[in-house]
């Protein structure tokens, strides 16, 4: 564009007399007077709000009125986007009715009309001018599926919404994802927009989006009681419209139960007393859903209402009662477990009782409490016992045999490596306890007489305790050594069955831990026997050593538990 012309458009300088930018008078020059984005001189003037300049230019070159830039935006698009009301008024006043309609209905590359631009930027004055100028136009959706009416609601532009509803005779109202403005008003909780739309077109409440959700479904999900009540007063049948697509759908009562809204459930029952009987696509009632979503208030509401007690023993498509689902969940609802209508021995389609389901589910502290209550009132299943026995006797394939043999070898090697370290420890304990048996605390009586060679402290209780514990430590450690030898021999001679090897390892470990504990006790009692006259020193020494005994016993308990945790199925294979 000519620099002088561009500067004049930016500043709104029209010049004086008849010398106003004469280059605009030649049609051959008009095509060259554009910016890099394809904007003409009136695009530039419209952006900066110079209405007089725009009017003067259009007087000289009327063809520029509908000329688009590279984004297919007219000067009206630009003025509407910037909110320049006077520029919009000038543009609408130029040309005939047909030209104005063409200009107002032109869309840019995004499918936006000038009204889209004005609504998106919240320019109320421009919106009013546009809708008054062409009330017959429906203002369709842009490429993103947005109509101006939908955009006013989504941005809570109440004033523009009123103007469109007042002046436009049949405005389009669709939005993205097949939603309508009522969807947007409910989702964003714009109460004033919702009221205006409800008075304008109540049937919007019935229209569903691409996921099958209508405005009532969203109002229930968000817990908007006033809107739910108003819609149901208008049309009670809305409560029975399901939501979802294909094989996955639910009902209004289920949505309220899923969210834990007892007040919404009561409102639905107030208008439609039988809606509690509705089932979802999986054949589940509202109590099923409340348990699945851990909505305790809903569960208590349904259990404490005598009208809805039949929900307790209803089964879904998989044969599960609400008690089955509770058994599989992570919380415990004792009121349902102890309810007289709960069928504690009900079998689902997998032949499982609630007790079976609870035992098969992931363990939690609440699960333990639940199982405890369930076992008091029911028992485990057993209908498929014959099938399980039959399956057990099925012959294994060669690959399964090789895989099982490989697992057994790995487990045997693991135990043998650990046993080597344990054998060294057991041998040391044998050596220590054997030596302690001949170097007794307090020494021997060397005086001539019947007690010569006897232990000096033999009559003290602490000394006797030392002898007992030292003997126990010697016997247990020796037995552990023999067990480790037996392990090695068994592993070398019998390569197929390693179950005995693992059992011997467990026995040896247990004996070795007993020997270690007895060895510590022998040290404590021996110390006390020789320090009996120094009570303070004895108590201090024994107190410190007691910690060692404590930790030793803890290790014994947990090590034995870890050994016992080896699954029985694995031992059966070895």
């Amino acid at each position: 564009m000519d620099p002088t012309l561009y500067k004049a458009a930016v500043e709104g300088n029209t010049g004086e007399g008849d010398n106003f930018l004469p280059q605009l008078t030649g049609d051959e020059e008009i095509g060259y007077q554009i910016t890099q984005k394809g904007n003409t001189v009136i695009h530039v003037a419209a952006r900066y709000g110079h209405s007089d300049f725009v009017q003067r230019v259009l007087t000289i070159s009327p063809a520029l009125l509908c000329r688009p830039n590279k984004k297919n935006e007219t000067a009206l698009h630009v003025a509407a986007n910037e909110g320049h009301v006077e520029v919009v008024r000038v543009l609408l006043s130029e040309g005939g009715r047909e030209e104005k309609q063409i200009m107002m209905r032109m869309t840019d590359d995004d499918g936006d009309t000038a009204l889209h631009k004005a609504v998106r930027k919240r320019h109320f004055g421009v919106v009013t001018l546009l809708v008054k100028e062409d009330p017959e136009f429906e203002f369709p959706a842009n490429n993103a599926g947005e109509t101006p009416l939908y955009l006013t609601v989504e941005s809570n532009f109440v004033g523009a919404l009123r103007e469109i509803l007042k002046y436009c005779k049949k405005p389009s109202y669709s939005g993205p994802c097949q939603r309508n403005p009522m969807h947007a008003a409910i989702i964003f909780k714009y109460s004033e927009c919702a009221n205006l739309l409800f008075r304008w077109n109540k049937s919007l409440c019935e229209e569903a989006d691409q996921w099958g959700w209508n405005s009532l479904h969203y109002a229930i999900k968000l817990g908007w009681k006033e809107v739910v009540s108003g819609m149901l007063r208008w049309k009670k049948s809305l409560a029975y419209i399901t939501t979802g697509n294909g094989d996955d759908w639910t009902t209004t009562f289920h949505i309220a139960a899923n969210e834990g809204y007892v007040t919404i459930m009561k409102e639905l029952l107030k208008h439609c007393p039988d809606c509690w009987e509705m089932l979802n696509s999986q054949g589940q009632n509202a109590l099923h859903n409340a348990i699945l979503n851990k909505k305790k208030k809903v569960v208590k509401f349904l259990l404490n209402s005598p009208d809805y007690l039949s929900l307790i023993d209803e089964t879904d498509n998989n044969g599960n009662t609400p008690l089955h689902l509770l058994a599989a969940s992570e919380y415990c609802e004792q009121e349902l477990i102890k309810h007289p209508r709960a069928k504690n021995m009900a079998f689902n389609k997998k032949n499982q009782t609630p007790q079976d389901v609870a035992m098969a589910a992931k363990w939690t502290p609440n699960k333990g409490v639940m199982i405890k209550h369930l076992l008091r009132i029911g028992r485990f299943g057993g209908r498929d016992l014959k099938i399980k026995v039959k399956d057990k006797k099925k012959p294994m394939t060669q690959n399964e045999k090789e895989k099982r043999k490989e697992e057994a070898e790995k487990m045997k090697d693991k135990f043998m490596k650990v046993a080597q370290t344990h054998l060294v420890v057991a041998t040391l304990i044998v050596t220590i306890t054997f030596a302690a048996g001949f170097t007794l605390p307090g020494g021997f009586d060397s005086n001539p007489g019947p007690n010569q060679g006897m232990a000096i402290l033999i009559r003290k209780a602490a000394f006797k305790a030392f002898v007992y514990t030292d003997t126990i430590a010697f016997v247990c450690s020796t037995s552990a050594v023999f067990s480790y030898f037996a392990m090695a021999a068994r592993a070398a001679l019998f390569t197929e069955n390693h179950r005995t090897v693992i059992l011997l390892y467990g026995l040896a470990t247990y004996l070795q831990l007993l020997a270690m504990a007895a060895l510590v006790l022998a040290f404590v009692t021996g110390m006390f026997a020789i320090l009996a006259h120094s009570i303070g020193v004895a108590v201090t020494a024994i107190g410190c050593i007691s910690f060692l005994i404590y930790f030793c016993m803890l290790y014994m308990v947990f090590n034995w538990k870890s050994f016992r945790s080896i699954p029985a199925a694995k031992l059966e294979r070895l």
Side-chain angles (χ1 to χ4, degrees), residues 58-88:
L58 290 175
T59 302
I60 299 172
S61 299
L64 293 177
L65 180 64
C66 295
R67 185 181 178 87
N69 61 15
K70 290 183 178 180
K71 291 184 178 179
N72 279 322
E73 295 172 323
T74 64
L76 184 62
H77 281 97
V78 176
N81 189 64
E82 299 298 329
H84 298 312
V85 178
E86 289 304 318
V87 176
V88 172

Side-chain angles (χ1 to χ4, degrees), residues 523-548:
F523 180 80
V524 171
T525 53
M527 289 286 289
F528 187 81
I530 62 177
L531 297 174
H533 297 292
S534 301
I535 299 298
V537 178
V539 170
T540 302
I542 294 171
C544 293
I545 294 171
S546 297
F547 284 102
L548 293 175

Side-chain angles (χ1 to χ4, degrees), residues 205-222:
C205 302
E206 300 176 280
E207 296 181 8
D209 61 14
Q210 70 179 43
W211 298 286
W213 284 62
N214 62 32
S215 300
L216 179 63
H217 295 136
Y218 284 111
I220 293 172
K221 184 175 180 61
L222 296 172

Side-chain angles (χ1 to χ4, degrees), residues 498-540:
H498 302 304
R499 177 173 176 169
T500 306
V501 173
I502 297 175
L503 293 176
L504 284 171
Y505 169 81
L507 176 62
T509 302
Y510 190 60
L511 289 170
Q512 187 169 331
L513 291 171
L514 284 176
M516 291 170 67
L519 182 63
V520 174
L521 289 173
F523 180 80
V524 171
T525 53
M527 289 286 289
F528 187 81
I530 62 177
L531 297 174
H533 297 292
S534 301
I535 299 298
V537 178
V539 170
T540 302

Side-chain angles (χ1 to χ4, degrees), residues 33-74:
Q33 301 304 314
I34 59 174
T35 66
Q36 294 298 312
K37 293 183 178 179
N39 291 317
T40 66
V41 66
I42 66 167
H43 283 93
V44 178
R47 177 177 294 109
Y48 292 99
H50 302 310
S51 57
D52 293 340
F53 188 94
V54 171
Q55 190 171 25
R56 184 70 181 276
V57 171
L58 290 175
T59 302
I60 299 172
S61 299
L64 293 177
L65 180 64
C66 295
R67 185 181 178 87
N69 61 15
K70 290 183 178 180
K71 291 184 178 179
N72 279 322
E73 295 172 323
T74 64

Side-chain angles (χ1 to χ4, degrees), residues 80 83 85 88-89 92 104 114-115 118-119 122-135 139 152 157-168:
V85 178
V88 172
R89 185 176 285 110
L92 294 176
M104 288 190 60
L115 186 58
V119 169
R122 302 178 67 86
H123 298 312
F124 177 74
V126 177
V127 171
T128 303
L129 280 175
L130 293 173
V131 295
K132 285 182 177 179
E133 190 66 31
D134 194 3
F139 294 102
T152 60
F157 196 180
V158 180
L161 176 62
R162 284 199 180 98
E163 294 297 299
I164 293 175
L165 296 180
K166 181 179 179 181
Y167 293 105
C168 292

